[in-house]
Amino acid sequence: MVEDIHLKPCIELRNIWKGFQGPHGRTEILRGLSFSLFPRDFVGINGVSGAGKSTFLNILAALEKSDEGKVLWNDHCVCSWPAKKLSRCRASQIGFVFQSCHLVPELDVTENILLVCRIARGHVGDKDRLKVQEFLGRLGIGSQAHQLPMTLSGGERQRVAIARALMCHPEVIVADEPTGNLDESTGEQVMRLLEEICEEEHKALLLVTHHVPFSQRMKRQYRLHQGVLEKL
Ligand SMILES: Nc1ncnc2c1ncn2[C@@H]1O[C@H](COP(=O)(O)OP(=O)(O)OP(=O)(O)O)[C@@H](O)[C@H]1O
Ligand SMILES: [Mg+2]
């Protein structure tokens, strides 16, 4: 599929440079990194802690700006888009499962998931609420729909984050260590759900994980090393 040259990437990064100022001067974390994610692609990324994996994902989702290079979503360079347009498009095109869930503590599970619809479309309807119920049931947390995030276990919170990422039917799911804080069997369960839903709904999945067996289940694998992606 990826070899099909007629297939256009849904996300493309071209020659990305990103550095941070530290106590001992500036460190270049990403050094001319390029990457393409195709429709229905399943890509695994690993790399040591501090290699820049989260920075790479944040730049790809335009949550952070690069110092140099271009980020394209469906062939459109997003680098100079105003914040409002960016967050609206991001909410409908990219479902992001963050390393530490990032749920809003004051909102219950249902409202956390609906938040992404409010950002993408400005409103939510009965259909959306039904969809939330359906996702929660599928993810095995239907009875927790009205609990606050702090009353959930780590695995349950991670499943809420996955439901939120899927809510607006984005073409791409980006998951940053979605199983990092979970025990092995819960991690396997969460991972299997993520794979199943992405497969069924024809989504591209970009997975960052330290867990090599999970990464090996993806169709393509890379290691982020010395600021660039090395194909494995
Ligand atoms: N806003 C920032 N200011 C300064 N340094 C930063 C900032 N964000 C990231 N860094 C540094 O950039 C490097 C890469 O961070 P990043 O979070 O991308 O690594 P990672 O590969 O995701 O690591 P982990 O596997 O531990 O999650 C780290 O050394 C980090 O301290
Ligand atoms: Mg990280």
Side-chain angles (χ1 to χ4, degrees):
M1 184 254 329
V2 170
E3 285 74 21
D4 183 348
I5 53 162
H6 302 296
L7 208 57
K8 278 194 172 171
C10 35
I11 298 185
E12 198 181 345
L13 270 62
R14 291 187 193 156
N15 192 31
I16 298 292
W17 286 80
K18 178 74 179 178
F20 294 108
Q21 199 63 39
H24 310 294
R26 191 175 175 79
T27 312
E28 296 300 328
I29 300 296
L30 303 179
R31 301 160 173 252
L33 178 150
S34 294
F35 174 71
S36 295
L37 185 73
F38 295 88
R40 303 182 67 172
D41 219 352
F42 271 42
V43 179
I45 308 253
N46 59 47
V48 296
S49 183
K53 303 181 296 298
S54 295
T55 305
F56 157 66
L57 294 185
N58 288 340
I59 289 173
L60 176 143
L63 291 161
E64 215 173 302
K65 275 196 186 303
S66 62
D67 300 328
E68 268 181 58
K70 279 189 172 175
V71 177
L72 297 101
W73 295 350
N74 291 321
D75 255 355
H76 299 287
C77 181
V78 304
C79 304
S80 55
W81 283 8
K84 232 182 181 171
K85 181 173 177 184
L86 259 184
S87 57
R88 207 175 46 235
C89 284
R90 185 189 305 115
S92 60
Q93 288 185 9
I94 303 177
F96 208 116
V97 183
F98 292 94
Q99 196 162 6
S100 50
C101 293
H102 285 201
L103 300 175
V104 181
E106 296 82 11
L107 299 180
D108 72 13
V109 164
T110 301
E111 288 304 322
N112 258 288
I113 297 171
L114 288 172
L115 193 57
V116 74
C117 300
R118 293 191 202 281
I119 295 170
R121 293 189 253 113
H123 61 90
V124 299
D126 290 345
K127 260 192 181 168
D128 298 313
R129 292 183 181 280
L130 280 175
K131 200 160 27 146
V132 171
Q133 268 310 319
E134 184 194 315
F135 274 136
L136 292 179
R138 171 102 197 255
L139 290 161
I141 48 171
S143 61
Q144 274 115 328
H146 298 295
Q147 287 183 217
L148 291 175
M150 64 175 290
T151 68
L152 301 175
S153 74
E156 289 162 350
R157 251 176 256 158
Q158 204 56 269
R159 280 176 275 177
V160 177
I162 290 172
R164 180 181 56 184
L166 293 164
M167 190 59 199
C168 279
H169 292 294
E171 194 182 3
V172 174
I173 296 290
V174 173
D176 192 358
E177 289 286 359
T179 60
N181 302 319
L182 307 178
D183 65 74
E184 202 170 322
S185 90
T186 315
E188 171 61 33
Q189 211 182 347
V190 165
M191 185 61 204
R192 206 170 326 126
L193 279 165
L194 195 55
E195 282 174 299
E196 268 174 28
I197 297 174
C198 288
E199 189 79 56
E200 271 169 33
E201 299 200 358
H202 306 317
K203 296 182 190 313
L205 173 61
L206 177 58
L207 172 78
V208 160
T209 180
H210 285 294
H211 193 62
V212 176
F214 288 164
S215 179
Q216 284 173 340
R217 277 150 61 165
M218 301 295 107
K219 293 171 195 159
R220 297 195 283 147
Q221 292 168 60
Y222 292 88
R223 178 168 69 136
L224 183 47
H225 182 59
Q226 296 186 339
V228 292
L229 287 170
E230 296 175 346
K231 192 147 180 22
L232 295 174

